[in-house]
Amino acid sequence: MDDFKRGDHLPDEPEPDWDAPSFERQRHLLIALFPEPDVQAAIEEHRKDWIWPRGHYFPRSPRLHLTLHCFGDQPRAVEKRLREALAQVRVQPMDLVLDSSRTWRNDIAVLQPAEHSALRTLHAGIGRAVQKAGIVTETPTFTPHITIARRTEGAAYPMSLPPIPWRVRKFVLVRSFTSHPVEHQVLATFEAGREDKKDGV
């Protein structure tokens, strides 16, 4: 068991547990980065390296995402303003590296990217667009992560993780339903322009 570790810290202000299977069915808006199929496959392989407790739950690969902002559903007029504001956010291509995984005290397992300034710049720009649309939100500490499993009390994660490269060129606005049938409805996709050829650092 020297190659595994059980338990880890939880950020001071974790993001809401929107995707928990037991969460009452509600709609909320989610702005996030969704990995491409090759990154999803690499995450699937990484999950095989863990020791999971009985009763754990894996979010399906197409639902894996890194949350940038999330808040309650909005009236149609506000959603329209939000889309218009988000369209003004510059998307700079960036190469993220998922290089650490752990469990948190709220019984979720996460995969986290190495620090990347362009990711934080994008998060801040989207935050300004949300405010411009007139949406008031809480501002928890931004702790970039992908939730890879839930109900993970007692899970053991490998001490080492082969880095997973992740090329990011877009973010997505979705309406998320958080109980059966759990689903993400894509409302808009915001991609890097052709002029943005240089990677963010």
Side-chain angles (χ1 to χ4, degrees), residues 53-170:
R54 181 176 299 179
H56 68 277
Y57 163 75
F58 286 163
R60 293 186 301 109
S61 289
R63 288 184 58 84
L64 294 171
H65 62 273
L66 188 156
T67 300
L68 295 169
H69 289 271
C70 61
F71 38 85
D73 203 7
Q74 301 294 317
R76 185 169 298 181
V78 179
E79 181 189 317
K80 181 176 182 293
R81 291 202 304 269
L82 175 62
R83 293 192 199 198
E84 292 170 349
L86 290 174
Q88 302 303 312
V89 176
R90 182 182 176 188
V91 183
Q92 190 171 6
M94 58 183 137
D95 290 313
L96 300 182
V97 179
L98 300 170
D99 65 354
S100 67
S101 60
R102 65 198 68 241
T103 55
W104 285 349
R105 287 196 299 271
N106 54 351
D107 290 341
I108 67 171
V110 301
L111 191 56
Q112 294 182 269
E115 183 64 28
H116 200 299
S117 62
L119 177 59
R120 296 197 176 273
T121 298
L122 178 61
H123 173 263
I126 291 173
R128 290 190 291 271
V130 170
Q131 291 179 344
K132 184 177 180 180
I135 300 171
V136 178
T137 66
E138 297 180 3
T139 54
T141 301
F142 181 45
T143 306
H145 67 278
I146 296 175
T147 297
I148 62 173
R150 297 184 180 278
R151 300 196 292 262
T152 61
E153 183 178 2
Y157 58 93
M159 296 291 287
S160 62
L161 163 63
I164 300 173
W166 179 10
R167 178 70 168 174
V168 175
R169 291 188 53 83
K170 63 184 178 183

